[in-house]
Amino acid sequence: MDKVKVAIVQAKPVYLNLNASLEKVQDFAKKASEEGARLIVFGETWLPGYPAWLDFCPQMGFWDHEPTKEVFAKTFENSLEVPGPVTLQLGRIAKELEVSIVIGVNEKVKTGTCYNTLLIFGPDGELRNHHRKLMPTYTEKLMHNRGDAAGLKTVDLPFGKLGGLICWEHWMPHNRQALHDMGEHIHIALWPKVHEMHQVASRQYAFEGRCFVLAAGQLLRAKDIPSELELPEHLKENPEHFVLNGGSCIIGPNGYYIKEPLWDKESLIFAELDLRETIKEKMNLDVSGHYSRPDVFNFTVNRERKND
């Protein structure tokens, strides 16, 4: 099996500015590819930025709150359709650099609904997978619709099988089993920030699935929260405070860190992965093979795409 150099982009987008953020995607992807990375990963809804204001602005939950509606409208306007002009541009970046790109996006559809979405582009520029987060987490339900399992699958890339989940999907056991059954070599775990319990989930996934995990967090300072919304006092007093502070890491198929979490710093995080390690670790645990009991459990997945 192949070795492959991978990179996580731990950085903030130009918040709620899709075009400027796309330029940053191209810049970071170019830098990573120049260092030899063949797989490049960006965090959850990196385009146009994770809606952290859902959790940090106390007036956000007020009914019919005009500033909140204005921020939602700006988010929608800077979100992308899949497929659409932005996915074509992302595909061109991947093809020109001959890399695979995984990126979280805020996806919009014509009805006005948004999805929390993970996209995988191959080195040929093709959109290989389009996964919508099955269940928005807590306050995200004000923003995102429930997804489906049409994208709950792995894709074959030149170096091996790649899959991914978004944030708290990692605590939904059936999601994990569906991807384990498809034989992931590398799993992408997209998070807003990879705090302690997210580290636990990412390491557990690697150990259970006997695969490498790239856990991608991002950065966002208090001053980046949309100005329409009033910050709580502790953030008003410290606009440079990291609301999202990274924590990106790379984990081996034995559950141990290859690259330990990085906090409070913009960086490209690199590692060379020997995918043969995924086979070696399955000697003592294979949850889709000798450690499964299909004679006891029946598991099916409805992969029908929901209507937009």
Side-chain angles (χ1 to χ4, degrees):
M1 300 183 71
D2 289 341
K3 294 182 179 181
V4 60
K5 189 169 185 179
V6 300
I8 297 174
V9 177
Q10 179 164 289
K12 67 176 185 178
V14 182
Y15 202 61
L16 300 189
N17 187 325
L18 180 59
N19 290 331
S21 296
L22 274 169
E23 291 178 7
K24 291 193 76 169
V25 169
Q26 183 157 8
D27 290 343
F28 279 118
K30 186 173 186 295
K31 289 175 185 176
S33 69
E34 288 171 349
E35 294 291 328
R38 298 296 92 198
L39 171 63
I40 303 166
V41 179
F42 296 79
E44 181 176 359
T45 60
W46 205 89
L47 294 175
Y50 184 77
W53 48 270
L54 289 169
D55 294 317
F56 292 98
C57 298
Q59 79 280 21
M60 179 279 307
F62 296 168
W63 181 260
D64 205 28
H65 185 240
E66 183 60 31
T68 302
K69 292 191 291 185
E70 176 61 26
V71 173
F72 175 82
K74 285 186 176 179
T75 304
F76 186 85
E77 290 161 359
N78 283 277
S79 298
L80 55 141
E81 296 178 340
V82 183
V86 176
T87 59
L88 289 174
Q89 188 170 344
L90 290 167
R92 282 196 294 270
I93 294 170
K95 186 174 182 178
E96 287 170 5
L97 299 175
E98 298 182 330
V99 298
S100 298
I101 293 176
V102 182
I103 188 166
V105 305
N106 202 67
E107 177 192 357
K108 63 182 178 183
V109 298
K110 295 175 182 177
T111 62
T113 285
C114 293
Y115 292 95
N116 186 336
T117 295
L118 180 154
L119 303 177
I120 300 176
F121 295 87
D124 56 0
E126 293 297 313
L127 177 58
R128 299 292 189 88
N129 198 20
H130 170 201
H131 171 60
R132 293 171 171 168
K133 188 177 182 181
L134 267 75
M135 181 58 68
T137 303
Y138 195 48
T139 51
E140 290 174 5
K141 292 179 176 70
L142 292 170
M143 181 94 179
H144 295 131
N145 197 4
R146 294 189 302 172
D148 53 51
L152 191 62
K153 61 184 182 181
T154 61
V155 298
D156 291 315
L157 293 172
F159 47 80
K161 289 184 179 293
L162 180 75
L165 293 172
I166 305 167
C167 199
W168 278 32
E169 287 190 307
H170 290 85
W171 282 298
M172 298 172 72
H174 294 109
N175 287 345
R176 301 198 309 267
Q177 191 63 54
L179 291 182
H180 295 335
D181 286 349
M182 299 190 78
E184 282 177 300
H185 298 120
I186 301 175
H187 175 80
I188 307 302
L190 298 188
W191 306 93
K193 62 177 179 179
V194 199
H195 62 57
E196 182 183 5
M197 290 308 298
H198 295 167
Q199 298 285 337
V200 170
S202 300
R203 293 184 67 183
Q204 192 274 343
Y205 191 100
F207 186 89
E208 179 180 87
R210 296 329 226 186
C211 59
F212 292 94
V213 170
L214 277 61
Q218 58 189 287
L219 303 176
L220 182 72
R221 296 183 187 270
K223 67 182 181 181
D224 299 315
I225 297 292
S227 59
E228 291 86 352
L229 299 173
E230 185 177 354
L231 293 172
E233 289 301 322
H234 73 284
L235 293 180
K236 284 183 185 177
E237 295 168 0
N238 186 7
E240 296 296 324
H241 175 77
F242 279 109
V243 173
L244 304 178
N245 64 336
S248 302
C249 58
I250 300 175
I251 305 158
N254 59 1
Y256 288 91
Y257 289 117
I258 295 171
K259 292 287 184 177
E260 295 201 358
L262 180 68
W263 305 101
D264 302 334
K265 182 180 180 182
E266 179 172 295
S267 181
L268 288 168
I269 301 166
F270 294 98
E272 184 174 69
L273 310 182
D274 182 354
L275 301 189
R276 191 166 178 265
E277 294 297 318
T278 64
I279 300 301
K280 292 164 69 174
E281 292 300 330
K282 286 188 175 180
M283 178 177 178
N284 53 10
L285 177 64
D286 181 359
V287 297
S288 300
H290 64 77
Y291 235 80
S292 66
R293 288 295 305 273
D295 57 320
V296 176
F297 301 107
N298 183 31
F299 179 52
T300 60
V301 180
N302 176 11
R303 288 195 167 87
E304 181 181 353
R305 174 65 81 196
K306 283 174 56 178
N307 293 330
D308 292 339

